Amino acid sequence: MDLQTRKIAFVQDFLKLESEKVIVQFEKLLQKQTDLNVTFEPMSVDDFKKRIHQSVSDSKAGKLTSSDQFLEEIAEWK
């Protein structure tokens, strides 16, 4: 099946969707793909260190999602 035929089949299947949650996920995926086409600037060492410190701070404050919680959330996407 060529790319054009696959796109048409995908759009037809997409139009049959009834779940807003699934459509939101597709919108997010499409936005991510669009965002990937943007040229990124390298992160400075200072920004990198700030992110590390913020991550450590978030971890200590309990602002985490366990892998089990994350897998449960992913299961709800289906």
Side-chain angles (χ1 to χ4, degrees):
M1 184 181 304
D2 69 331
L3 182 59
Q4 192 65 22
T5 304
R6 288 173 55 203
K7 286 180 182 180
I8 292 169
F10 177 82
V11 169
Q12 289 171 338
D13 288 341
F14 181 82
L15 291 173
K16 294 175 189 173
L17 290 174
E18 298 290 329
S19 170
E20 184 170 345
K21 194 171 189 176
V22 172
I23 292 172
V24 167
Q25 291 300 321
F26 275 117
E27 288 172 334
K28 288 178 182 178
L29 180 63
L30 184 60
Q31 184 61 47
K32 282 183 184 179
Q33 181 60 40
T34 304
D35 291 346
L36 289 176
N37 294 330
V38 176
T39 304
F40 292 101
E41 296 293 323
M43 185 184 300
S44 72
V45 172
D46 286 338
D47 287 340
F48 183 66
K49 288 179 180 179
K50 286 177 187 175
R51 283 192 175 194
I52 291 172
H53 291 298
Q54 183 63 53
S55 296
V56 170
S57 175
D58 288 345
S59 177
K60 289 179 181 176
K63 296 180 183 177
L64 301 171
T65 300
S66 72
S67 58
D68 291 335
Q69 289 171 321
F70 187 62
L71 290 172
E72 287 174 10
E73 183 178 327
I74 290 172
E76 293 176 9
W77 295 351
K78 297 177 184 178

